[in-house]
Amino acid sequence: MNGTIINLLIDILIIFFLLSGTFFVFSGALGVVRFKNVYLRLHAATKSSTLGVAGLMLGAFLFMLNEHGIVSGKLLLGILFVLITAPVSAHMIGRAAYKSGIPLSEEAVQDDYKETFEE
Amino acid sequence: MPFQIVLNIIIAVMWMFLSETYNFSTFAVGYILGIFLLFIMRRFVKRPFYLNRVWKVSLLILLFIRELIMSSIDIVEFVYKKELDNRPGIFALPLEVKSDWEVTLLANLISLTPGTLSLAVSDNHDVLYIHAMDIPDIESSISDIKDTFEKAIMEVTR
């Protein structure tokens, strides 16, 4: 009796992680389509999809642990690597985009980085 | 700090030899005993107790996770807005941290805070250029970056 309730709670937790992960990845993809230029799209592509992938992997980890008794360290390492690499790649893409002369969108109100090129 | 960790590992190995069971759980018990011993002896060692720093690192990781969740929710709100009326821009943030390692960590943290994305570091490591989704309501996140992140990073590295 006790065991089934705990199993149910763990299942609910797994479902929560998987669903929220999917939701965040989907929203990130939608943001990439909707936003106007490279810089705004990078915002959508890094943050929400990082959290989404982390949620999916955590859900998969819990599922493997609960259902098959496998402690899958690769999934946890995957979270770590996504967390480290996503901001770095966003930084590099953004910098490369700026250096190759892609303008900010028309509504842009401030550009401090431009001054460094004028000197 | 490395000296204290080595000492702690030596205590753990000695505990393994004393109890004559060579597996991971004995090592873990020995390590915890070592932490306890080092905690008692902390006044006789000149450097501060190394778990203080471990504690601060874990606080930084917690901060990182919280900011990641907040910023994702923020982005999701933007994605499902009817019309996108945000005003993006790039602002310059003067840096207090100087070394490569600290700047990298700060840039990564900023990329995952709400509405900001680190775009470039100036050549002399003085200024960080940040692209913001919405400049008008970015004031709070500037003070956020200054007060929480930089302080937390400096507490870890110094």
Side-chain angles (χ1 to χ4, degrees):
Chain A
M1 186 61 205
N2 213 356
T4 54
I5 288 176
I6 289 175
N7 265 336
L8 186 71
L9 284 179
I10 290 177
D11 277 348
I12 289 173
L13 199 66
I14 292 171
I15 291 170
F16 170 74
F17 274 127
L18 289 181
L19 278 184
S20 58
T22 331
F23 173 71
F24 278 118
V25 170
F26 176 76
S27 308
L30 201 64
V32 171
V33 176
R34 266 199 86 189
F35 290 161
K36 282 171 206 153
N37 62 7
V38 190
Y39 308 105
L40 292 175
R41 282 182 177 143
L42 278 177
H43 280 281
T46 47
K47 287 164 198 146
S48 51
S49 60
T50 309
L51 187 67
V53 170
L56 284 177
M57 288 200 175
L58 216 56
F61 176 79
L62 282 179
F63 179 77
M64 293 302 260
L65 191 66
N66 191 35
E67 214 68 14
H68 304 290
I70 302 169
V71 181
S72 176
K74 281 178 213 159
L75 287 169
L76 295 183
L77 277 183
I79 296 175
L80 184 70
F81 288 138
V82 168
L83 271 184
I84 294 173
T85 52
V88 175
S89 57
H91 177 85
M92 291 317 288
I93 294 171
R95 210 167 92 102
Y98 198 94
K99 291 218 163 172
S100 56
I102 296 173
L104 296 173
S105 62
E106 308 91 54
E107 297 95 354
V109 286
Q110 192 177 346
D111 191 352
D112 290 344
Y113 191 32
K114 203 197 246 165
E115 293 158 14
T116 54
F117 292 104
E118 285 164 354
E119 287 163 8
Chain B
M1 176 173 141
F3 174 70
Q4 289 184 23
I5 292 177
V6 170
L7 209 59
N8 205 341
I9 290 174
I10 288 175
I11 292 171
V13 172
M14 276 167 69
W15 179 255
M16 260 162 56
F17 277 102
L18 276 176
S19 53
E20 294 194 336
T21 41
Y22 307 100
N23 53 20
F24 182 74
S25 54
T26 327
F27 183 82
V29 170
Y31 201 88
I32 292 168
L33 270 177
I35 289 174
F36 180 65
L37 285 178
L38 282 175
F39 182 69
I40 293 175
M41 303 283 187
R42 69 189 184 283
R43 286 190 191 169
F44 303 105
V45 187
K46 273 175 195 140
R47 310 295 298 279
F49 186 47
Y50 83 96
L51 274 193
N52 283 343
R53 188 168 278 194
V54 174
W55 173 242
K56 273 167 188 164
V57 170
S58 43
L59 278 186
L60 187 64
I61 291 171
L62 277 184
L63 182 76
F64 189 77
I65 292 171
R66 199 195 69 193
E67 288 296 324
L68 179 62
I69 293 172
M70 294 302 288
S71 70
S72 295
I73 291 170
D74 218 46
I75 285 284
V76 166
E77 263 174 32
F78 259 113
V79 169
Y80 292 113
K81 244 184 194 174
K82 247 184 185 162
E83 58 218 41
L84 297 168
D85 53 354
N86 54 328
R87 271 163 296 162
I90 297 174
F91 65 90
L93 181 84
L95 287 178
E96 276 171 53
V97 291
K98 289 287 175 255
S99 68
D100 285 346
W101 176 237
E102 291 166 326
V103 173
T104 312
L105 204 59
L106 186 66
N108 271 11
L109 275 171
I110 284 170
S111 284
L112 295 175
T113 45
T116 53
L117 184 85
S118 62
L119 208 59
V121 186
S122 68
D123 293 332
N124 51 3
H125 286 188
D126 268 351
V127 187
L128 192 64
Y129 295 99
I130 298 171
H131 182 271
M133 278 200 83
D134 210 3
I135 287 279
D137 61 41
I138 214 68
E139 293 298 326
S140 65
S141 54
I142 293 177
S143 63
D144 227 36
I145 290 166
K146 279 260 143 216
D147 293 342
T148 47
F149 291 150
E150 249 185 333
K151 212 177 270 174
I153 288 174
M154 277 158 87
E155 270 179 3
V156 168
T157 51
R158 286 175 193 176

